[in-house]
Amino acid sequence: MEIEFLGTGAGSPGKFRNVTATALKLLPEINEVWLFDCGEATQHQILRTTIRPRKITKIFITHLHGDHIFGLPGFLSSRSFQNGEVPTPLTIYGPAGLENFVRTSLRVSNTKLGYRLKFVELGSEGQIFENDRFKVSFKKLDHRIDCVGYRIEEKDYPGELQVDKLRAQNVPAGPIYGRLKAGETVALPDGRQIRGVDFIGTPKRGRVVTILGDTRVTPNIVKLAQNADVLVHESTYGKDDAKLAHAYYHSTCLQAAEAARSAGVKHLLLTHISARYVGPMVKALQHDAQTVFKNTKVVKDFDVISVPFQAK
Amino acid sequence: MEIEFLGTGAGSPGKFRNVTATALKLLPEINEVWLFDCGEATQHQILRTTIRPRKITKIFITHLHGDHIFGLPGFLSSRSFQNGEVPTPLTIYGPAGLENFVRTSLRVSNTKLGYRLKFVELGSEGQIFENDRFKVSFKKLDHRIDCVGYRIEEKDYPGELQVDKLRAQNVPAGPIYGRLKAGETVALPDGRQIRGVDFIGTPKRGRVVTILGDTRVTPNIVKLAQNADVLVHESTYGKDDAKLAHAYYHSTCLQAAEAARSAGVKHLLLTHISARYVGPMVKALQHDAQTVFKNTKVVKDFDVISVPFQAK
Ligand SMILES: [Zn+2]
Ligand SMILES: [Zn+2]
């Protein structure tokens, strides 16, 4: 599990940061990539990475501001034209209005997609998706228009069957290994009773990633980020601009750090950085946030951050 | 008058060519820039040039395929946010459906532009614009969907009043210079009759630029390009792919060169190059076209071509 930042700027594209898009790479886990927001030229950014568009099976949109959605029509069109690859179906989650924008763009441009496209327009909060590996839920944030944050929870990994230990005790391999893994107690031909639970390692806790849209300080941030391994939070403004942040429905680096501390997250990644912050000013944003929450990083375009498992 | 190529690729953005956009820079003439087509990330390309978005006062769209229009919503939005500059009104010309796409994109994304935006949806052919400096007309081409080509004609420059020659003949400066420039005959106090026409230089012929959308071979190309100083023509395919070109409603480099020769243009610029042509293959496209029309150049992103006046 890795997070690759495809655009880390705010509002308009700049020379150094493109508008917002964040890829959650779940390749070892489920051989898929999930995209969060899709600002203009996200497909251009993807061209500079190893991400294959057809691996992107779900797109989660936080809100409908242009810097978060204007890359959708182009990305969806180009995804049809991957040499010799049949693109998989794609589902897009986001606020009401999204489907109208995308369908109008595709219809006016006479674009026929070579795959099935499905929209799920979101209500006010809830769970949007669950399978045996992941669960995704969302809550409203506080932005000028409807905007949500997403919480992605990986299911816990059951403990592995300790095959070496079984062999060391001369338990013969075969179908009984499956029964032991399922936790059963099994009688061996030699009369021994073997309890599965004695040969199953400790389960590994699944990881939690929280990816927010643009937002002011609001209690739902801490709820979405509770004990997350990684919180991706906007930081449009620096520590002295709390008034501007409030007026424009955004956050400062300190507000993001305070949310990370309150929620007890492990890592805070700051993105959606205004173009006014360049060079040493970016370091200052990071440093200021670290005075409140030490494990903070201001990300830049093409940063790849791996999401480690927690030690028990 | 210069043409700056902001995107010279076909279909999808590639690593070396962005999707289509062509800027006609009329800065010395009228302090404006006109944009022809606006594929995704045209605003990103503009960031790498000296073009200021507020100088772009007119956008001419050839057709509604995504690689020619998906950059419009982002460009229009960002044009509102030029530091301390009040953006001028903007007019967009193009086929029916364009306004629906742009207005839907702006409405869904809750974008308020800081300037007046006007649409002119085009009929089948005709003149779309004329003032004392320029005239723009269009005709239908042959593409899968409605597609046009544009002919931009600069008005002739009247001859300059030859002030040095008047001074050499001791004609005193003053209001009579204006009358002479207007072609009048003026009586001097010393009794001489001075004819304005004798002191006016040769007029300079205005330049003609023809910029086409995607197209198969069709008679309107030669009409649009008749005696043009520069013809910008698509060349999606190489000389051996006339069948593919026909099937996909595009042109080969040879077909473009033949049109240039028939129309008697001065320079042919080939753009809309398929991503399959890289490195020496691009040179081959150019070389093949030159066997038919010598003055041919395959352009690349960020090429700036100046449009010279014709020697009389
Ligand atoms: Zn934003
Ligand atoms: Zn095209």
Side-chain angles (χ1 to χ4, degrees):
Chain A
M1 186 185 291
E2 290 177 333
I3 305 174
E4 183 156 7
F5 289 88
L6 300 171
T8 61
S12 291
K15 274 190 187 158
F16 305 109
R17 295 178 186 274
N18 196 32
V19 284
T20 301
T22 306
L24 180 64
K25 297 168 79 175
L26 303 171
L27 295 171
E29 292 81 11
I30 53 174
N31 199 25
E32 295 182 22
V33 176
W34 295 354
L35 189 62
F36 292 78
D37 289 330
C38 187
E40 183 177 357
T42 294
Q43 64 164 326
H44 298 66
Q45 300 286 88
I46 288 174
L47 275 179
R48 297 175 55 187
T49 71
T50 57
I51 296 173
R52 308 180 79 131
R54 76 180 174 101
K55 296 275 186 188
I56 297 178
T57 53
K58 296 179 189 300
I59 301 179
F60 299 87
I61 298 295
T62 62
H63 66 298
L64 304 187
H65 276 153
D67 57 325
H68 296 251
I69 63 167
F70 283 166
L72 273 175
F75 170 78
L76 297 175
S77 306
S78 296
R79 189 176 183 272
S80 272
F81 302 108
Q82 304 301 308
N83 274 341
E85 296 177 349
V86 177
T88 45
L90 178 69
T91 304
I92 306 183
Y93 306 86
L98 187 57
E99 180 163 11
N100 179 24
F101 164 67
V102 173
R103 298 273 188 217
T104 300
S105 302
L106 297 177
R107 190 181 61 248
V108 166
S109 61
N110 207 35
T111 306
K112 312 268 182 279
L113 299 182
Y115 54 90
R116 201 155 39 81
L117 178 64
K118 196 180 135 192
F119 286 86
V120 178
E121 293 194 340
L122 304 176
S124 67
E125 69 171 60
Q127 182 174 304
I128 35 179
F129 170 75
E130 178 163 18
N131 65 17
D132 59 333
R133 300 298 301 274
F134 287 97
K135 188 171 102 179
V136 180
S137 58
F138 74 103
K139 287 183 191 294
K140 282 261 159 83
L141 300 175
D142 184 14
H143 199 43
R144 194 185 293 276
I145 60 174
D146 275 359
C147 182
V148 304
Y150 293 98
R151 179 180 174 94
I152 302 95
E153 297 176 63
E154 185 183 29
K155 300 290 175 73
D156 292 342
Y157 289 73
E160 307 265 330
L161 188 66
Q162 294 166 313
V163 174
D164 289 350
K165 191 170 157 192
L166 286 166
R167 288 210 180 109
Q169 301 196 12
N170 291 314
V171 179
I176 63 157
Y177 274 36
R179 294 171 54 196
L180 290 170
K181 192 174 180 190
E184 293 180 30
T185 297
V186 176
L188 295 188
D190 62 14
R192 282 186 290 165
Q193 297 279 322
I194 305 291
R195 305 195 319 158
V197 290
D198 295 336
F199 294 88
I200 292 173
T202 41
K204 216 158 38 165
R205 218 185 61 189
R207 291 155 291 184
V208 176
V209 172
T210 299
I211 300 178
L212 305 182
D214 297 1
T215 188
R216 278 180 182 166
V217 175
T218 183
N220 273 349
I221 295 174
V222 172
K223 291 181 193 161
L224 281 165
Q226 201 64 49
N227 297 319
D229 293 279
V230 174
L231 167 61
V232 178
H233 196 303
E234 72 129 294
S235 171
T236 312
Y237 291 99
K239 73 172 167 28
D240 298 325
D241 285 328
K243 271 192 180 149
L244 277 177
H246 186 82
Y248 291 103
Y249 294 83
H250 284 296
S251 298
T252 69
C253 59
L254 288 190
Q255 291 167 339
E258 281 153 11
R261 189 177 56 186
S262 303
V265 310
K266 304 295 179 297
H267 299 268
L268 171 63
L269 302 177
L270 297 181
T271 183
H272 204 271
I273 310 298
S274 165
R276 72 170 77 179
Y277 301 105
V278 287
M281 298 165 78
V282 175
K283 279 269 170 259
L285 277 185
Q286 180 169 300
H287 180 265
D288 292 338
Q290 285 171 341
T291 63
V292 173
F293 185 79
K294 183 144 193 345
N295 219 341
T296 300
K297 181 182 167 69
V298 175
V299 293
K300 57 184 194 308
D301 289 17
F302 303 112
D303 273 354
V304 179
I305 309 289
S306 94
V307 183
F309 286 101
Q310 294 308 318
K312 266 287 177 188
Chain B
M1 186 186 288
E2 291 177 332
I3 305 175
E4 182 156 6
F5 289 88
L6 299 172
T8 60
S12 291
K15 274 190 188 159
F16 304 110
R17 297 178 185 273
N18 197 31
V19 284
T20 301
T22 306
L24 180 63
K25 297 167 79 175
L26 304 171
L27 295 171
E29 292 81 11
I30 53 173
N31 198 25
E32 295 181 21
V33 176
W34 295 354
L35 189 63
F36 292 77
D37 288 331
C38 187
E40 183 178 356
T42 294
Q43 63 163 326
H44 299 66
Q45 299 286 88
I46 288 175
L47 275 179
R48 296 175 54 188
T49 71
T50 58
I51 296 172
R52 306 178 81 131
R54 74 178 175 103
K55 297 275 186 189
I56 297 178
T57 54
K58 296 179 189 302
I59 301 178
F60 299 87
I61 298 295
T62 63
H63 65 297
L64 304 188
H65 277 152
D67 57 326
H68 296 250
I69 63 167
F70 283 165
L72 272 176
F75 171 78
L76 297 175
S77 306
S78 296
R79 189 178 184 272
S80 273
F81 301 108
Q82 304 301 308
N83 274 341
E85 296 177 348
V86 178
T88 45
L90 177 69
T91 304
I92 306 183
Y93 305 86
L98 186 56
E99 180 164 10
N100 179 24
F101 164 65
V102 174
R103 298 272 189 218
T104 300
S105 303
L106 298 178
R107 191 181 60 249
V108 167
S109 61
N110 207 35
T111 306
K112 313 268 180 280
L113 300 182
Y115 54 90
R116 202 153 39 81
L117 179 64
K118 198 180 134 191
F119 286 86
V120 177
E121 293 194 341
L122 304 175
S124 68
E125 69 171 57
Q127 182 175 302
I128 35 179
F129 170 75
E130 179 164 18
N131 64 18
D132 59 333
R133 302 297 302 274
F134 287 96
K135 190 170 102 180
V136 180
S137 58
F138 74 104
K139 287 184 190 296
K140 282 262 159 83
L141 300 175
D142 184 13
H143 199 44
R144 193 186 294 274
I145 60 173
D146 273 359
C147 183
V148 304
Y150 293 99
R151 178 179 173 94
I152 303 94
E153 298 176 62
E154 187 184 27
K155 300 290 175 73
D156 292 343
Y157 289 73
E160 308 264 331
L161 187 66
Q162 293 167 312
V163 174
D164 289 350
K165 192 170 157 193
L166 286 166
R167 287 209 180 112
Q169 302 197 10
N170 291 313
V171 178
I176 64 159
Y177 273 38
R179 294 172 56 199
L180 290 170
K181 191 174 180 188
E184 293 180 29
T185 298
V186 175
L188 295 189
D190 63 13
R192 282 185 289 163
Q193 297 279 324
I194 307 290
R195 303 194 321 159
V197 290
D198 295 335
F199 294 89
I200 293 172
T202 41
K204 219 162 33 171
R205 219 186 62 189
R207 292 157 288 184
V208 176
V209 173
T210 299
I211 300 178
L212 303 182
D214 298 2
T215 188
R216 277 179 183 166
V217 175
T218 182
N220 273 347
I221 294 175
V222 172
K223 291 180 192 161
L224 281 165
Q226 199 64 49
N227 296 317
D229 293 278
V230 174
L231 168 61
V232 177
H233 196 304
E234 72 130 295
S235 171
T236 311
Y237 292 100
K239 72 172 167 30
D240 298 325
D241 285 328
K243 270 191 181 151
L244 276 178
H246 186 82
Y248 291 103
Y249 294 84
H250 284 295
S251 298
T252 69
C253 59
L254 289 190
Q255 291 168 338
E258 282 154 9
R261 190 176 58 187
S262 304
V265 310
K266 305 294 178 298
H267 300 268
L268 171 63
L269 302 177
L270 298 181
T271 183
H272 205 272
I273 310 299
S274 166
R276 73 171 74 179
Y277 300 105
V278 286
M281 300 166 77
V282 174
K283 280 269 170 259
L285 277 185
Q286 179 168 299
H287 180 264
D288 293 339
Q290 286 171 341
T291 62
V292 173
F293 184 80
K294 183 144 194 343
N295 219 339
T296 299
K297 181 181 167 70
V298 175
V299 293
K300 58 183 194 307
D301 289 17
F302 303 112
D303 274 354
V304 179
I305 309 290
S306 95
V307 183
F309 286 100
Q310 295 306 319
K312 265 287 177 188

